[in-house]
Amino acid sequence: MSRYAEFYRQSIDAPEAFWAEQAKLIDWKTPPQQILDASNAPFVRWFAGGTTNLCHNAVDRHLATRGDQPALIAVSTETGTEKSYSFKELHAEVQRFAASLMELGVGKGDRVLIYMPMIPEAAFAMLACARLGAIHCVVFGGFASGSLASRIEDATPKVVVSADAGSRGGKVLAYKPLLDEAIRQSSHKPESVLLVDRGLAPMALTEGRDHLAAALVEKHRDAQVPCTWLDATDISYTIYTSGTTGRPKGVQRDTGGYAVALAASMKHIFDGRPGETYFSTSDIGWVVGHSYIVYGPLIAGMATLMYEGLPTQGLDRQPDGGIWWRLVEKYKVTVMFSAPTAVRVLKKQDPALLKKYDLSSLRALFLAGEPLDEPTARWISEGLGVPIIDNYWQTESGWPILTVANGVEQTRSKFGSPGVPMYGYKVKILHEATGEELSGANEKGVVVIEGPTPPGFMQTVWKDDERFVNTYWKSVPGKLVYSTFDWGIRDEDGYFYILGRTDDVINVAGHRLGTREIEEAISGHAKVAEVAVVGVADALKGQVAMAFVVPKDGAALGDDQAALFLEGEIMKQVADQLGALARPARVRFVSALPKTRSGKLLRRAIQAVCEQRDPGDLTTIEDPGALQQIRRSLSP
Ligand code: PRX
């Protein structure tokens, strides 16, 4: 048996012994009393009775050994700034932030919603929450008021931490008006708002509620705020993600299990070593940012490089398709993490840029979030000359489900496959309708995980255990298994291939969006009677959203001018409510949508037509003419 196969087997056959060993990778105030409690399946409690703290493990633990080494390197090609904080400096900054939050009444279990651009203060805020035992809830800075409002409503934060603005490609996006509007829309009102002023956009402050971070932080310059010791099973954070319904789910994570899972993954999967630099190009608004910008690298004693800006603009704010490689050279990055879409953007740049810098420090480039197509993988692999490692996971899992664990044993990667199940994950492929296990090679089914789920995996849906069980664990008939809602196959060597979602989630440039959420935003428009949104294959972004709308009056159907105008209005409505990411690439007008006789929208058939594929079995369709209309509406 190969070394990895043996490692994996131990994790499955003797999970308690396996994870008790991994638990030694972090600091505990008091050791765990019970490694695994799976008595209330599908809920799992890891390391119960052990007390620890994420911030202690990410920051304080390293002070004695590497206090003066870099911990956080913040680079913004939007503002042309570059700043490095040592572990000692980070420790001081986090305590100042923690003291400021305490002054605003934040303590253990309180929620703090963080709506921030990629600036160091965002990481200080997250770590400060962890230090205090407060639950952070980071909302992606590109989200608009509607999305933000529904998250404020659900998380009921005591405090919101935000900034005047974000910036993308030189375009300033003022956050404060979006936040004010979101708070206005929400029935829950935060007591206080802590604002970082970057000097990018004017801010109107609400007396008694809004506070400038600079003033509070200065007041607490010398603050010493001890870590609050938490039970391993206490909540560290929630992060919202899209699913089948329009209502986003708060994925809830624990403290001890998460810390152990990240520490183990840094060792076995990412092979990142203390004192080195880790560079993830993600955003703190996504799970990758939580696990592999903030917590994972710092827990491993690495410096983490936090990047604000496009991959194609330099620090002088001039076009520079080599900026990331320049940073790899400058900071001697050993582990890099990005998304296939970013690589496809870089593919349009001069390939000589990949050879211009000394990239000898780089050990591997990890890509995740969406399918990695072979041409993209080959291009970047040849250009960089380092292993390209695809890894498949979800907001729910917190760390890779499928990849290769080169830290355990050098393992061959196969193009097109993220790899094999990681230790702790019992990954199976089941028949969608019968629930029967498909163990043959290349049989397509739903990718599921059998419990008990490993440390780091979501505990539940925030405030909604029932939704957790019903959504994730009851979708396959007759079996209590966790559904990933992805289609997959496994080849004869045990490598998995992911073949897209089984539900209405689409993946635009590595970002997960629910088509139902977009449909809800569109159907709110006064001129819209009905709408269907589907994801359609796109060469650059993987998928884009396409909306088919039945207008209330026929004007948009016969008149190009009217159609163009309404398309513009609908796009704006989605961007205003959900954010630019969710804006459909096109809106087309039809007089009816293809449905089954029982009234179910045939989204898969619409998608097939958009992608010029065979729409499959249409015996249940109510009105075949509706699909014809979709086809015709696509021609220019
Ligand atoms: O459909 C899968 C796709 O992205 C989904 C999870 O997205 P999110 O919750 O945003 O988490 C991203 C964490 C990296 C999955 O259900 N997906 C993610 N990684 C891959 C992928 N599809 C194919 N290959 C991957 N490597």
Side-chain angles (χ1 to χ4, degrees):
M1 203 185 259
S2 74
R3 189 143 25 110
Y4 180 71
E6 176 55 23
F7 189 74
Y8 177 78
R9 194 191 58 75
Q10 284 170 6
S11 77
I12 301 299
D13 292 353
E16 299 212 47
F18 180 89
W19 287 106
E21 186 60 30
Q22 304 305 319
K24 294 181 188 155
L25 293 168
I26 68 157
D27 267 9
W28 296 90
K29 175 73 178 161
T30 49
Q33 305 295 305
Q34 187 181 13
I35 301 298
L36 166 63
D37 172 8
S39 58
N40 183 26
F43 300 94
V44 185
R45 285 155 43 89
W46 284 101
F47 309 117
T51 56
T52 184
N53 181 289
L54 275 170
C55 184
H56 168 84
N57 276 285
V59 184
D60 303 45
R61 179 159 76 121
H62 306 298
L63 293 173
T65 44
R66 56 190 78 259
D68 294 316
Q69 289 178 13
L72 179 70
I73 302 159
V75 176
S76 170
T77 54
E78 296 292 333
T79 55
T81 49
E82 209 172 357
K83 196 162 183 223
S84 178
Y85 300 83
S86 67
F87 277 98
K88 267 189 199 150
E89 287 163 334
L90 181 60
H91 184 234
E93 295 287 358
V94 169
Q95 294 189 90
R96 290 170 192 146
F97 232 95
S100 305
L101 289 174
M102 275 170 76
E103 182 173 333
L104 300 176
V106 173
K108 186 183 165 190
D110 289 329
R111 273 82 55 211
V112 175
L113 187 137
I114 299 175
Y115 181 61
M116 287 280 256
M118 286 291 286
I119 53 176
E121 289 83 353
F124 303 160
M126 290 168 75
L127 291 162
C129 288
R131 196 168 189 87
L132 298 173
I135 298 168
H136 62 63
C137 169
V138 184
V139 176
F140 176 58
F143 281 167
S145 300
S147 301
L148 184 54
S150 62
R151 286 153 173 82
I152 293 176
E153 194 89 59
D154 194 69
T156 60
K158 188 175 244 181
V159 174
V160 174
V161 181
S162 190
D164 56 338
S167 175
R168 193 158 170 83
K171 244 176 71 186
V172 169
L173 175 67
Y175 283 9
K176 185 62 174 30
L178 297 177
L179 175 61
D180 285 340
E181 172 58 20
I183 294 176
R184 197 191 62 74
Q185 283 176 23
S186 165
S187 67
H188 171 84
K189 312 287 178 200
E191 281 170 26
S192 315
V193 176
L194 188 59
L195 293 152
V196 175
D197 188 359
R198 314 174 69 190
L200 293 180
M203 283 194 284
L205 299 186
T206 299
E207 186 68 36
R209 185 196 73 184
D210 296 353
H211 307 265
L212 288 174
L216 272 184
V217 161
E218 185 52 38
K219 183 172 156 197
H220 296 289
R221 246 207 107 63
D222 302 314
Q224 294 199 351
V225 180
C227 288
T228 300
W229 300 110
L230 302 178
D231 191 88
T233 61
D234 282 340
I235 308 171
S236 60
Y237 68 77
T238 66
I239 178 170
Y240 287 88
T241 192
S242 308
T244 306
T245 68
R247 207 158 46 95
K249 292 184 287 266
V251 166
Q252 177 184 316
R253 198 124 27 233
D254 71 359
T255 298
Y258 187 52
V260 171
L262 291 182
S265 72
M266 291 303 298
K267 181 170 178 213
H268 306 308
I269 300 174
F270 295 98
D271 191 14
R273 305 168 198 169
E276 298 179 346
T277 306
Y278 193 105
F279 177 17
S280 164
T281 69
S282 185
D283 188 286
I284 49 144
W286 311 121
V287 70
V288 177
H290 284 65
S291 293
Y292 298 112
I293 293 176
V294 179
Y295 293 115
L298 292 175
I299 287 175
M302 298 178 81
T304 182
L305 203 164
M306 197 171 167
Y307 182 81
E308 180 188 47
L310 302 176
T312 51
Q313 185 175 287
L315 273 159
D316 56 2
R317 287 181 267 177
Q318 297 302 310
D320 179 2
I323 179 67
W324 285 359
W325 317 122
R326 188 191 292 275
L327 294 173
V328 169
E329 176 184 275
K330 177 163 181 189
Y331 293 105
K332 299 197 172 48
V333 171
T334 57
V335 187
M336 189 165 168
F337 193 143
S338 192
T341 295
V343 178
R344 288 192 291 265
V345 168
L346 292 174
K347 234 162 119 181
K348 298 186 171 161
Q349 307 289 315
D350 182 357
L353 286 169
L354 292 175
K355 301 282 176 223
K356 194 170 158 192
Y357 300 97
D358 175 7
L359 306 182
S360 56
S361 60
L362 196 62
R363 226 176 279 131
L365 170 65
F366 292 82
L367 297 174
E370 55 180 318
L372 172 62
D373 56 287
E374 182 161 347
T376 301
R378 270 194 204 289
W379 178 82
I380 191 70
S381 160
E382 279 158 21
L384 294 179
V386 301
I388 305 302
I389 301 175
D390 190 358
N391 54 125
Y392 161 88
W393 45 297
Q394 306 182 307
T395 306
E396 289 83 348
S397 70
W399 60 283
I401 298 169
L402 300 170
T403 184
V404 289
N406 281 340
V408 179
E409 178 186 32
Q410 281 295 322
T411 308
R412 179 167 76 108
S413 291
K414 291 192 191 187
F415 280 129
S417 163
V420 299
M422 283 300 97
Y423 48 91
Y425 287 106
K426 280 187 252 181
V427 189
K428 301 258 156 85
I429 295 180
L430 302 188
H431 189 283
E432 182 198 23
T434 65
E436 173 205 354
E437 185 174 353
L438 304 175
S439 38
N442 304 318
E443 286 188 277
K444 178 176 168 181
V446 186
V447 179
V448 305
I449 300 167
E450 264 180 17
T453 47
F457 205 87
M458 75 186 289
Q459 288 182 299
T460 184
V461 172
W462 167 250
K463 290 197 302 204
D464 205 342
D465 286 349
E466 212 173 306
R467 192 172 176 201
F468 173 64
V469 176
N470 291 334
T471 308
Y472 291 107
W473 293 85
K474 295 233 168 121
S475 77
V476 179
K479 279 191 184 155
L480 192 68
V481 287
Y482 170 89
S483 176
T484 62
F485 297 101
D486 280 302
W487 296 110
I489 55 170
R490 178 178 32 211
D491 71 9
E492 36 305 305
D493 300 327
Y495 283 68
F496 282 70
Y497 295 77
I498 298 297
L499 308 171
R501 298 278 303 193
T502 66
D503 59 3
D504 298 320
V505 167
I506 63 172
N507 197 315
V508 179
H511 303 307
R512 174 167 161 186
L513 300 169
T515 52
R516 297 283 171 96
E517 268 172 275
I518 306 176
E519 285 172 359
E520 276 174 28
I522 295 178
S523 53
H525 191 285
K527 291 182 187 150
V528 171
E530 263 191 290
V531 56
V533 172
V534 296
V536 178
D538 179 83
L540 183 66
K541 296 182 173 174
Q543 278 186 311
V544 293
M546 281 276 286
F548 295 92
V549 167
V550 179
K552 278 191 182 149
D553 75 55
L557 287 172
D559 175 345
D560 287 353
Q561 258 341 86
L564 204 63
F565 182 73
L566 187 52
E567 177 175 32
E569 270 190 12
I570 289 174
M571 286 186 170
K572 182 169 180 311
Q573 170 134 335
V574 177
D576 286 351
Q577 276 188 26
L578 301 178
L581 266 182
R583 181 168 45 213
R586 292 219 171 20
V587 183
R588 288 291 174 260
F589 299 98
V590 289
S591 67
L593 293 170
K595 290 184 188 160
T596 62
R597 284 190 197 103
S598 54
K600 237 181 108 189
L601 255 179
L602 287 163
R603 288 196 184 74
R604 284 190 208 171
I606 302 177
Q607 184 188 40
V609 166
C610 293
E611 294 177 348
Q612 294 170 336
R613 287 184 286 109
D614 175 9
D617 180 14
L618 291 174
T619 46
T620 59
I621 196 166
E622 172 80 32
D623 168 16
L627 211 53
Q628 289 301 336
Q629 266 202 65
I630 298 270
R631 191 171 284 127
R632 274 200 304 275
S633 78
L634 295 169
S635 49

